[in-house]
Amino acid sequence: MTISTQILSLVKEPERLENRLAEIPPEPGVYFMRDAGDRIIYIGKSRKLRLRVRSYFRDGYNKSERIATMVKLVTEIEFIVTDTEAEALALEANLIKQHQPYFNVLLKDDKKYPYLCITWSEDYPRIFITRKRQFGKEKDKFYGPYTDAGLLREILRICKRIFPQRQRPQPLFKDRPCLNFDLGRCPGVCQQMISPEEYRKIVQKIAMVFQGRTQELIDILTQQMNAAAENLNFESAARIRDQISGLKSLTADQKVSLPDDTVSRDAIALAADEQHACIQLFQIRAGQLVGRLAFVADAHAEPGAILQRALEEHYQTADSVEIPTEILVQHDLPDVEILGDVLTQRKGKKVTILTPLRQTKAELIEMVERNAQYELQRMQKFGDRNHQAMQDLAAILDLPDVPHRIEGYDISHIQGSNAVASQVVFIDGLPAKQHYRHYKIKNPTVTAGHSDDFASLAEVIQRRFRKYGEDQQLTRLGNLDWPDLIMIDGGKGQLSSVIAVLQEMNLLEDLRVVSLAKQREEIFLPGESKPLTTDAEQPGVQLLRRLRDEAHRFAVSFHRQQRSDKLKRSRLDEIPGLGHHRQKLLLGHFRSVDYIRQATTTQLAEVAGIGPRLAQEIYDYFHPA
């Protein structure tokens, strides 16, 4: 007799559903919906958990098609009770980032929108533009994402001209500052000619610009200028006057017409098609547009839910001074009370969230929506071109369907030394960097002075598909990491070496492999002596070129990193008692040997595994008596 172990959804077991709902308390917290595979498919929050969760299973409840589909899949409900709505909001955001539930609104990490980062975790904070938002250190602050990368760079350039700050990532000289110090553009951070406390005050002024507090900063500097003039310190007054002039140039043409330009407000709106939602958030302070941020999300949720998720994500790490007193939204938010109360509590002042219907505020929302529509049109045009390229590639290679996952491989070394390989992945024609991989070549015959790209590629392909060769049943299970196409950077020789190893693994019939030669952009197929007849400028070939160039870039960057780490370790190897593991800990904490050299014994001892005695030996090595 066969016993079924299939778990039924809760809607098909009314008694179990009712018992589960009765166990949920009427308190604030976060709830989880799980499916038959024990996967978390939805995470939500509520002031009263029992009422919110029960509403999903109520017959008369007006559910969207997406939510109705989700409810049919729910087999288990879990919850976490919190003390306040603020805790529920923060917990929900963190859990969504961790589990990425299918039915939640997930904002995409779109690399075309840059952030500004200030590393407050360091004694001398750095300021730089990045397209990769990381939350490794709690104190570091990210502003953005900004829609106009050129404008962001220009603002940062002006800020560097107005306020003296560190101009170089690493010291240029060992025992003296560079020319930037003599020009007054840097306060001598590399030689610690300014204290961390004083330098942080300078950086705080720059942060105020990106917090939308430019006018507040101008008022503070004006008071300082007047005080300096009264004390007959005219040189200092003139310097502050120039700073004020530079700050005013930043906001000269950014006036927004609103009836009350003393109120700080944000306005958010979106434009969506069947696939994507482009969200724009305008930051208006004292009647001036000080920031225009952008977010991208999948469009499978209600517009209000998408806007709510974008606002929660944006304000989660915002300082209280960055939260406006008024937020204008295009659509009603599903949990507007919780968000409003949390922001009011954090700001210490009433924060109002409105959906304006007429007059000037409604016109402002319309303007934000128009800008979101322009971004959506740009995304649609790019998507159309990308789909055309994939269709063309499928036609060139006679593929049965448009390739979903394409993998590219390349080798990088200098005459065999530090040989590495890269695996890059394009999903639907776009880079999927979360799937990229590095390989260190292990072949003992590949050494300094002796390279073998053919053997190196064969090794990498063998390591990549080893698990499928050992269990070929895996190839028929529709694995998400199974490629529709593999591209090798090289010509017939490189392709032949890969084909040989796939034949040994009995995988050649299941994989489509091609190579792309650099010189004439020629595509080679297995068993063919001549390349395909193609035009180097046709969309499908250009897609392969982008994949090849990305594989080359990724391989070269990893090779350089390996060489750099080797050079760094060669210096640290000279310090007694500092083994390879502790070297990695030091470099992971300080990022470079130059910063290790600048560190004090106290700072060195803070690193895990580095005690006071070893910290003193490291310090003495870099500072001989």
Side-chain angles (χ1 to χ4, degrees), residues 157 166 179 192 194 316 325 333 440 458 475 529 552 570:
R157 185 189 67 79
R166 177 166 56 184
L179 187 61
Q192 298 183 1
I194 182 174
Q316 185 182 13
T325 54
L333 308 183
K440 293 181 183 178
T475 65
S529 59
H552 180 71
S570 66

Side-chain angles (χ1 to χ4, degrees), residues 363-426:
E363 292 174 359
L364 175 60
I365 287 293
E366 290 176 5
M367 182 180 71
V368 180
E369 183 182 355
R370 282 200 308 274
N371 282 271
Q373 190 67 48
Y374 291 138
E375 281 295 304
L376 180 63
Q377 290 171 2
R378 287 174 54 192
M379 180 177 287
Q380 288 170 337
K381 288 180 181 177
F382 180 79
D384 291 342
R385 289 197 300 268
N386 194 53
H387 187 66
Q388 180 186 356
M390 289 191 295
Q391 286 182 320
D392 186 50
L393 180 60
I396 292 171
L397 301 179
D398 194 24
L399 300 177
D401 202 355
V402 172
H404 169 64
R405 179 185 175 110
I406 311 175
E407 295 182 359
Y409 295 85
D410 191 19
I411 304 294
S412 182
H413 57 83
I414 294 181
Q415 295 182 345
S417 65
N418 300 113
V420 298
S422 66
Q423 170 197 323
V424 302
V425 180
F426 277 23

Side-chain angles (χ1 to χ4, degrees), residues 358-624:
R358 20 182 211 279
Q359 296 182 341
T360 311
K361 293 180 181 179
E363 292 174 359
L364 175 60
I365 287 293
E366 290 176 5
M367 182 180 71
V368 180
E369 183 182 355
R370 282 200 308 274
N371 282 271
Q373 190 67 48
Y374 291 138
E375 281 295 304
L376 180 63
Q377 290 171 2
R378 287 174 54 192
M379 180 177 287
Q380 288 170 337
K381 288 180 181 177
F382 180 79
D384 291 342
R385 289 197 300 268
N386 194 53
H387 187 66
Q388 180 186 356
M390 289 191 295
Q391 286 182 320
D392 186 50
L393 180 60
I396 292 171
L397 301 179
D398 194 24
L399 300 177
D401 202 355
V402 172
H404 169 64
R405 179 185 175 110
I406 311 175
E407 295 182 359
Y409 295 85
D410 191 19
I411 304 294
S412 182
H413 57 83
I414 294 181
Q415 295 182 345
S417 65
N418 300 113
V420 298
S422 66
Q423 170 197 323
V424 302
V425 180
F426 277 23
I427 302 291
D428 294 331
L430 298 175
K433 296 190 177 182
Q434 69 272 26
H435 300 301
Y436 284 19
R437 279 193 63 185
H438 287 132
Y439 295 88
K440 293 181 183 178
I441 301 303
K442 298 179 179 179
N443 190 328
T445 65
V446 179
T447 57
H450 184 272
S451 62
D452 191 337
D453 287 359
F454 299 166
S456 297
L457 280 169
E459 174 192 330
V460 171
I461 294 298
Q462 196 275 335
R463 287 163 62 184
R464 164 66 175 93
F465 295 99
R466 179 188 299 139
K467 63 179 180 180
Y468 298 104
E470 294 170 353
D471 184 0
Q472 292 194 10
Q473 191 68 22
L474 288 172
T475 65
R476 293 189 287 272
L477 295 180
N479 278 274
L480 295 177
D481 67 344
W482 186 257
D484 301 302
L485 178 66
I486 294 174
M487 190 233 41
I488 304 298
D489 184 4
K492 290 185 291 184
Q494 285 85 348
L495 181 61
S496 297
S497 64
V498 169
I499 294 301
V501 74
L502 289 176
Q503 282 179 327
E504 292 177 7
M505 301 170 72
N506 295 319
L507 292 177
L508 186 57
E509 293 182 1
D510 298 311
L511 287 167
R512 189 64 187 268
V513 189
V514 301
S515 68
L516 182 65
K518 285 189 179 72
Q519 192 169 12
R520 298 179 181 175
E521 310 295 357
E522 295 174 328
I523 301 174
F524 289 92
L525 300 180
E528 300 290 338
S529 59
K530 294 184 178 180
L532 290 175
T533 303
T534 58
D535 180 357
E537 299 305 318
Q538 67 184 101
V541 180
Q542 287 183 335
L543 176 59
L544 278 186
R545 286 167 58 186
R546 288 199 300 272
L547 179 71
R548 189 268 317 280
D549 292 345
E550 178 69 353
H552 180 71
R553 179 200 66 80
F554 199 51
V556 169
S557 64
F558 185 51
H559 171 68
R560 288 173 178 168
Q561 178 189 330
Q562 293 300 302
R563 283 169 44 210
S564 176
D565 289 348
K566 188 174 181 180
L567 290 172
K568 290 173 184 176
R569 286 196 295 270
S570 66
R571 291 185 63 187
L572 297 177
D573 281 339
E574 300 175 9
I575 303 175
L578 192 62
H580 180 65
H581 177 65
R582 286 174 173 170
Q583 290 177 20
K584 286 179 65 177
L585 293 174
L586 272 174
L587 291 170
H589 184 84
F590 290 104
R591 300 298 180 189
S592 76
V593 174
D594 291 310
Y595 288 131
I596 295 174
R597 178 174 59 83
Q598 295 177 45
T600 63
T601 54
T602 303
Q603 292 170 330
L604 291 167
E606 290 175 356
V607 180
I610 307 294
R613 182 182 300 176
L614 183 55
Q616 188 63 51
E617 289 191 20
I618 297 170
Y619 184 85
D620 292 342
Y621 171 80
F622 287 108
H623 303 83

Side-chain angles (χ1 to χ4, degrees), residues 184-284:
R185 297 180 61 192
C186 174
V189 173
C190 62
Q191 304 302 320
Q192 298 183 1
M193 301 177 74
I194 182 174
S195 68
E197 293 76 18
E198 289 300 315
Y199 187 71
R200 292 172 81 89
K201 289 179 182 178
I202 296 175
V203 177
Q204 185 58 57
K205 292 177 181 176
I206 299 172
M208 290 177 71
V209 174
F210 293 96
Q211 291 170 343
R213 302 164 61 196
T214 307
Q215 187 56 50
E216 181 184 342
L217 178 58
I218 290 174
D219 294 340
I220 293 172
L221 291 176
T222 300
Q223 293 177 3
Q224 294 177 357
M225 180 184 67
N226 293 335
E230 289 176 3
N231 294 328
L232 305 182
N233 191 350
F234 299 116
E235 184 177 344
S236 176
R239 185 174 64 253
I240 298 174
R241 177 203 61 200
D242 294 340
Q243 292 176 346
I244 293 172
S245 177
L247 289 170
K248 286 181 177 179
S249 70
L250 288 176
T251 57
D253 301 318
Q254 296 180 5
K255 197 76 173 175
V256 177
S257 178
L258 286 171
D260 185 2
D261 61 6
T262 62
V263 176
S264 63
R265 52 171 59 88
D266 285 353
I268 188 169
L270 62 80
D273 57 16
E274 295 179 354
Q275 292 181 307
H276 305 292
C278 290
I279 307 140
Q280 295 265 306
L281 189 147
F282 280 30
Q283 299 171 302
I284 300 160

